[in-house]
Amino acid sequence: MYNLMLPLYSHDNGTFIMIGVFALVIIGLIGIVLLMMGSDKNKKD
């Protein structure tokens, strides 16, 4: 039998960069939601 080593992930393909981009997108989305929640309260007053 052939000895095949198939890693589930590889750090050679810019994994850390993609994790950083994903984190920035999530933080941005949370910030947008919080800004929208804050603007609703100001419109009602």
Side-chain angles (χ1 to χ4, degrees):
M1 294 187 77
Y2 296 113
N3 187 8
L4 294 176
M5 296 294 292
L6 296 175
L8 295 177
Y9 60 91
S10 174
H11 292 290
D12 295 334
N13 296 330
T15 304
F16 296 112
I17 295 172
M18 293 305 294
I19 290 172
V21 170
F22 182 72
L24 289 175
V25 169
I26 296 299
I27 291 170
L29 289 173
I30 291 172
I32 290 170
V33 169
L34 291 175
L35 285 173
M36 290 174 66
M37 287 172 59
S39 66
D40 279 344
K41 293 179 182 176
N42 292 337
K43 288 181 180 178
K44 290 181 180 176
D45 288 338

